[in-house]
Amino acid sequence: MARMKFYCDAERCIECNGCVTACKNENEVPWGVNRRRVVTIKDGEPGERSLSVACMHCSDAPCAAVCPVDCFYTTDDGIVLHDKDTCIGCGYCFYACPFGAPQFPSSVAFASRGKMDKCTFCAGGPEETHSADEYTRYGANRIAEGKLPLCAEMCSTKALLAGDADVLSDIYRKRVINRGASVLNWGVQYKKAGIDG
Amino acid sequence: MTGIKDKKSARMRKAVYCCVLSLLFVLVAPLIPYVIDAHAEDVTSSKANKPVALQHPGINLWNDVRQRNEVTQGSSQVIGVDSGILINKTGEDWRRFRMQMLMPYGAYFMAATITTIVLFFLLRGKLRLPGGRSGELLCRFSLNQRTAHWFAVGVFWLLGITGLILLYGRFVLIPLLGADGFSITASACKEMHNLIGPLFLLAVLALLVLYIKDNFFNRDDITWITKGGGMFGGHVSAGRFNAGEKTWFWLVMIFGFLLCITGLVLDFSVFGQGREIMALSHVIHGISALILITVSFGHIYLGTIGVEGTLEGMTTGYVDASWAKSHHDFWYEEMSATVEEQQGIKKDVASSSTKPASSPAGD
């Protein structure tokens, strides 16, 4: 059984925020909600790297573990989704998630949290597939169309990969091997750092 | 003719050689440094055969991402609290606390307390008034004090029950109500908890102002505690409040204010507080709430079925004199001293359940 994963290659991400824009556009997410964001570490310093992050669709998802109403479920593809009918907007998933994936629209009275919104791996939600209800509440269901999440599909440098974990790890392994052998690899560029001879 | 021809062809040959040589020089000359460099590199590598100690520039990336050495705040185009943090590990600690500590130990703690109370009640039964009612009534709580108490009771249990439903409902109520039914219940509980929560601050403040006067510990409390409140070693004397009641008062104050402060931090999430602060607040909130709920079982037991004649002090405001003599004798003596002024003691001629005609000055 395929297990869907995101992988972001820090050596390739150029912080173009194309994935963020693609996600917002494809899923029509409300104002103030960002299912995906690009974070730059050491911005403007040596060793600057950027990574795109969203829900990582954990195997043992902390959000699902702490949810007081048990509104999370994992699809056969290993995608972690939640039911907005059941969600009460308590924010516990937000405390538990290490990636800051759960988002809350702040349009509710008394600064109360609305129902949680997060990356669905472009797999819609529990509503009927491709129904208007599914689209307005959860966004696109590209998985049902046999397509991968748009953020990764749009990535210009193919830094952000989405798909079956085995395929992704194969791609990444090949990248690492090729970087090690290439005249353009970091070792040669930085005077053979870490490479003997 | 041949001489001139030879001379001419020799000159041409020279010119061609010169051209070829200079062309060769132009082509080869730029390569010379490479040859020398390659040779030099061969020499150094054969001598040392060590990699240059220059780190990959991205080597600390994952240390920074995982916050291994220090909290590294990245930058993001997405504006929001903590949006520059890629991985925050404190959520996992909070998850472990809530799922593996707060929920099981809280349940054990409450169950153990209820079991103890039930066993105690079965063994000792209701603590009767010695010598029955005297019919003499003493004013124990003013209207303000009673109002504050019952206001606090109402707010405390609304918050307590909604909080307990949010904590244990997933495992207790989902099997009973189903996922959809429990979702509505939990949603109502969340909203009620968040809206009524701030009122608990008012309740705790009112209790503080109205009850603090007689709740300072003194020397008599040590005897009361060592004799287990009269359980071992016979009768113990006490003032208006005994050491047990004073302890309950201070527990309500300490954990009540902790609940209010952390509750406000959790309730109003618009002041830029991050996940760490909110998770920490939740830890303090959960522990404080379970302590107060558990100890309140004892308070409720002693105030209702545990000790005869106690509850009426908080409902009508008056207690029987024999109750006061047996449980709060120092306070009884104080009140008796003022008997001439007719402020506290009223003869109840008709029956002990009838309210006295005039209210005391304390009301």
Side-chain angles (χ1 to χ4, degrees):
Chain A
M1 183 56 71
R3 170 134 204 120
M4 290 300 171
K5 283 288 166 205
F6 281 120
Y7 187 84
C8 186
D9 192 338
E11 302 300 324
R12 281 180 175 235
C13 179
I14 56 168
E15 200 202 347
C16 70
N17 279 290
C19 48
V20 179
T21 313
C23 173
K24 276 179 155 302
N25 196 53
E26 180 74 358
N27 296 305
E28 293 285 349
V29 288
W31 272 106
V33 169
N34 286 282
R35 291 181 175 184
R36 177 169 284 287
R37 68 188 193 280
V38 177
V39 177
T40 305
I41 303 276
K42 290 187 181 158
D43 195 8
E45 293 169 40
E48 173 185 325
R49 291 289 185 281
S50 294
L51 284 164
S52 176
V53 68
C55 172
M56 297 301 269
H57 301 279
C58 308
S59 316
D60 174 21
C63 52
V66 300
C67 178
V69 291
D70 201 10
C71 76
F72 290 89
Y73 63 99
T74 306
T75 68
D76 293 341
D77 293 328
I79 300 168
V80 177
L81 298 176
H82 71 296
D83 189 340
K84 287 190 183 182
D85 283 333
T86 316
C87 174
I88 59 169
C90 66
Y92 287 180
C93 48
F94 163 72
Y95 306 154
C97 176
F99 308 108
Q103 304 280 308
F104 294 90
S106 51
S107 56
V108 186
F110 298 111
S112 174
R113 291 188 186 92
K115 291 185 187 292
M116 190 270 275
D117 189 272
K118 75 167 188 69
C119 160
T120 62
F121 209 85
C122 285
E127 314 297 333
E128 195 193 329
T129 301
H130 293 139
S131 61
D133 203 20
E134 184 191 53
Y135 185 72
T136 45
R137 310 186 78 188
Y138 303 96
N141 192 343
R142 293 170 57 85
I143 294 290
E145 296 167 0
K147 297 172 184 168
L148 287 169
L150 194 64
C151 52
E153 297 278 74
M154 293 273 285
C155 181
S156 58
T157 59
K158 288 285 161 271
L160 184 61
L161 303 173
D164 183 4
D166 291 340
V167 177
L168 293 197
S169 59
D170 271 351
I171 293 171
Y172 189 63
R173 186 161 53 241
K174 277 174 197 153
R175 283 186 186 177
V176 171
I177 292 165
N178 288 336
R179 273 174 205 156
S182 163
V183 289
L184 290 171
N185 76 53
W186 289 110
V188 172
Q189 291 287 308
Y190 290 88
K191 298 195 179 172
K192 298 195 172 180
I195 299 168
D196 272 13
Chain B
M1 281 294 277
T2 45
I4 298 160
K5 258 190 181 176
D6 281 352
K7 258 186 182 174
K8 267 191 176 174
S9 61
R11 213 181 283 159
M12 273 296 284
R13 223 174 289 141
K14 265 183 189 169
V16 170
Y17 283 143
C18 281
C19 283
V20 171
L21 273 174
S22 52
L23 196 69
L24 263 174
F25 182 75
V26 167
L27 287 172
V28 172
L31 297 173
I32 293 167
Y34 286 87
V35 178
I36 296 164
D37 192 41
H39 182 68
E41 223 168 83
D42 275 355
V43 171
T44 48
S45 64
S46 61
K47 262 186 187 169
N49 201 20
K50 272 183 186 168
V52 182
L54 192 71
Q55 289 184 326
H56 186 297
I59 200 155
N60 288 318
L61 173 72
W62 292 104
N63 287 334
D64 290 345
V65 168
R66 294 293 306 274
Q67 316 279 339
R68 283 200 180 97
N69 304 321
E70 56 188 330
V71 175
T72 318
Q73 183 87 34
S75 61
S76 179
Q77 298 299 310
V78 168
I79 308 298
V81 181
D82 286 351
S83 69
I85 302 273
L86 275 162
I87 293 180
N88 184 336
K89 289 182 291 181
T90 54
E92 197 59 22
D93 299 334
W94 178 75
R95 170 190 175 176
R96 205 176 303 123
F97 165 77
R98 180 178 142 87
M99 306 310 288
Q100 289 165 26
M101 290 164 79
L102 185 68
M103 291 171 92
Y105 292 122
Y108 294 149
F109 198 31
M110 285 190 290
T113 310
I114 291 172
T115 315
T116 312
I117 289 170
V118 168
L119 283 177
F120 187 81
F121 183 68
L122 291 176
L123 287 172
R124 298 286 289 262
K126 191 169 189 167
L127 197 62
R128 298 278 169 197
L129 284 178
R133 289 177 182 275
S134 65
E136 217 179 340
L137 289 181
L138 288 167
C139 177
R140 183 148 171 83
F141 295 113
S142 71
L143 184 63
N144 287 341
Q145 285 177 325
R146 278 178 283 148
T147 311
H149 175 266
W150 291 112
F151 176 64
V153 168
V155 175
F156 181 80
W157 281 109
L158 271 175
L159 294 172
I161 289 167
T162 51
L164 285 174
I165 287 173
L166 289 172
L167 185 61
Y168 292 109
R170 177 171 172 177
F171 302 102
V172 179
L173 291 178
I174 287 184
L176 296 172
L177 302 172
D180 291 340
F182 179 65
S183 170
I184 296 162
T185 316
S187 186
C189 286
K190 175 217 155 193
E191 299 300 340
M192 204 188 279
H193 202 91
N194 285 355
L195 290 174
I196 293 173
L199 289 180
F200 192 57
L201 183 61
L202 286 182
V204 178
L205 280 173
L207 291 179
L208 174 72
V209 171
L210 292 167
Y211 285 88
I212 195 168
K213 191 172 146 272
D214 298 304
N215 270 304
F216 293 107
F217 285 98
N218 58 34
R219 205 175 294 150
D220 301 328
D221 296 323
I222 300 166
T223 351
W224 193 93
I225 290 165
T226 50
K227 285 186 176 178
M231 278 197 289
F232 347 98
H235 178 80
V236 279
S237 299
R240 182 158 182 229
F241 296 119
N242 62 38
E245 289 169 309
K246 287 176 184 174
T247 309
W248 171 233
F249 172 81
W250 290 109
L251 284 177
V252 170
M253 287 306 120
I254 294 164
F255 292 111
F257 278 116
L258 280 176
L259 277 167
C260 292
I261 295 162
T262 54
L264 291 172
V265 169
L266 291 164
D267 204 353
F268 298 98
S269 55
V270 289
F271 297 105
Q273 59 268 52
R275 278 170 281 174
E276 285 99 344
I277 294 171
M278 297 183 87
L280 180 67
S281 297
H282 182 276
V283 169
I284 298 169
H285 200 81
I287 294 174
S288 306
L290 284 173
I291 287 175
L292 280 195
I293 288 170
T294 310
V295 183
S296 79
F297 293 151
H299 173 70
I300 293 165
Y301 168 75
L302 292 171
T304 53
I305 55 168
V307 182
E308 188 187 1
T310 309
L311 185 63
E312 59 204 55
M314 201 40 96
T315 51
T316 64
Y318 291 86
V319 287
D320 197 90
S322 64
W323 179 89
K325 248 182 267 177
S326 99
H327 299 300
H328 298 274
D329 43 1
F330 291 156
W331 177 65
Y332 177 74
E333 284 158 25
E334 266 173 52
M335 294 299 277
S336 307
T338 56
V339 73
E340 292 83 21
E341 295 158 48
Q342 291 292 310
Q343 279 200 333
I345 301 182
K346 293 271 165 189
K347 269 277 178 208
D348 192 42
V349 188
S351 77
S352 58
S353 61
T354 328
K355 271 194 178 180
S358 65
S359 292
D363 260 24

